[in-house]
């Protein structure tokens, strides 16, 4: 508690006006900071509520913030400004929860569609690559793979080498060439294609199961 500097009446820490003499009272630093945080929270919550493109994660964050402040404010509920804040926060929390439920369902549905579509595309990419091997031949396809892995290896090697440019250049190039022989075998030989198809498809199925089962 504190005292009015004019009539010396006892006033609440969050009162901005003396209820006895009507004088305006400056808030102490701690109370002013709490009020400022609540005002900012209210602005943020109202922005989220009025934004049609807001994500469920933003709404959850607002609800979590409200649940942090309500227990702090509840013991001060006899104070009129604080009681007003509590009432407003409770009202906004209910509005957020109403908005959250259908949005979560929509986002989960969209996520499932994206996972399924991306899995189908990943499987198509594999069969397209295998078709290119069959259509253009092992040698031509092998040269493309060599170029991609060699260039990629150089970039990765140089990127991780820091100041040792040439060390990273040649180590990346050698690593890319080694990967070339392995990848070329996977795409060019019947056994490699079988193994690649099984591993690739199993990885996609596992990825789908793990992600689709997430709440």
């Amino acid at each position: 508690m504190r005292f009015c500097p004019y009539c010396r009446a006892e006033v609440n820490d969050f009162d901005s006006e003396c209820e006895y003499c009507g004088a305006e009272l400056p808030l102490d630093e701690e109370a002013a900071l709490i009020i400022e945080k609540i005002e900012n929270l209210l602005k943020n919550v109202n922005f989220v509520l009025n934004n049609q493109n807001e994500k469920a994660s933003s709404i959850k964050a607002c609800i979590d913030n409200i649940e942090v402040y309500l227990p702090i404010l509840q013991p001060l509920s006899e104070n009129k400004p604080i009681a007003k804040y509590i009432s407003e926060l409770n009202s906004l929390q209910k509005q957020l929860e109403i908005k959250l439920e259908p949005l979560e369902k929509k986002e989960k549905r969209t996520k499932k569609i994206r996972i399924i579509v991306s899995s189908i595309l990943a499987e198509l990419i594999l069969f397209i690559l295998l078709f290119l091997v069959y259509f253009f031949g092992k040698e031509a396809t092998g040269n493309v793979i060599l170029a991609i892995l060699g260039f990629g290896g150089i970039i990765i090697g140089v990127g991780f080498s820091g100041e040792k440019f040439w060390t990273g250049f040649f180590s990346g190039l050698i690593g890319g060439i080694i990967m070339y022989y392995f990848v070329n075998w996977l795409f060019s030989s019947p056994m490699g294609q079988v193994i690649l198809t099984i591993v690739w498809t199993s990885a996609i199925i596992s990825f789908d199961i793990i992600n689709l089962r997430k709440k």
Side-chain angles (χ1 to χ4, degrees):
M1 299 296 290
R2 57 191 175 126
F3 295 92
C4 174
Y6 303 101
C7 67
R8 305 306 300 169
E10 190 177 43
V11 294
N12 191 280
D13 290 337
F14 291 91
D15 284 339
S16 57
E17 181 180 300
C18 178
E19 62 178 313
Y20 298 99
C21 68
E24 290 188 6
L25 304 173
L27 293 174
D28 62 37
E29 187 175 344
E30 184 178 354
L33 182 61
I34 292 175
I35 295 297
E36 182 183 358
K37 288 183 176 180
I38 295 171
E39 292 286 354
N40 289 334
L41 175 60
L42 291 173
K43 289 179 183 178
N44 185 46
V45 171
N46 281 300
F47 175 80
V48 170
L49 279 172
N50 295 321
N51 187 358
Q52 299 300 320
N53 298 320
E54 205 62 57
K55 294 183 178 179
S57 57
S58 300
I59 297 177
K60 286 180 180 178
C62 287
I63 293 174
D64 290 341
N65 287 331
I66 290 174
E67 290 177 346
V68 168
Y69 278 98
L70 281 177
I72 297 173
L73 299 177
Q74 205 62 48
L76 308 168
S77 59
E78 293 183 0
N79 182 264
K80 290 182 180 179
I82 298 300
K84 182 180 177 182
Y85 284 130
I86 292 173
S87 176
E88 191 169 355
L89 287 173
N90 279 321
S91 175
L92 290 173
Q93 183 175 355
K94 291 178 181 177
Q95 294 178 54
L96 288 168
E97 290 170 348
I98 291 171
K99 185 176 181 179
L100 178 62
E101 187 176 355
L103 186 58
E104 280 185 324
K105 291 180 180 178
K106 181 181 176 182
E107 288 186 1
K108 286 179 181 179
R109 186 166 58 249
T110 303
K111 181 181 178 182
K112 288 180 180 179
I113 292 172
R114 287 177 179 173
I115 290 171
I116 293 170
V117 171
S118 61
S119 298
I120 293 172
L121 289 175
E123 197 70 24
L124 284 174
I125 288 171
L126 174 62
F127 286 106
I128 289 171
L129 290 173
L130 294 175
F131 172 77
L132 291 175
V133 172
Y134 174 80
F135 187 79
F136 290 104
K138 297 178 182 179
E139 186 176 348
T141 308
N143 291 334
V144 174
I145 294 172
L146 176 60
I148 293 172
L149 291 177
F151 184 68
I154 290 171
I155 293 175
I156 295 171
V158 171
F160 282 95
S161 64
E163 298 180 356
K164 299 178 180 179
F165 176 85
W166 290 110
T167 302
F169 179 92
F170 286 110
S171 61
L173 178 60
I174 293 169
I177 293 172
I178 293 172
M179 283 296 297
Y180 153 74
Y181 284 106
F182 176 68
V183 174
N184 193 40
W185 173 78
L186 284 175
F187 279 97
S188 301
S189 68
M191 180 61 70
Q193 291 177 358
V194 171
I195 293 173
L196 178 61
T197 302
I198 293 172
V199 172
W200 186 283
T201 304
S202 299
I204 292 173
I205 293 172
S206 299
F207 174 82
D208 289 348
I209 292 173
I210 292 171
N211 284 277
L212 291 174
R213 291 183 65 182
K214 286 182 179 178
K215 294 183 178 180

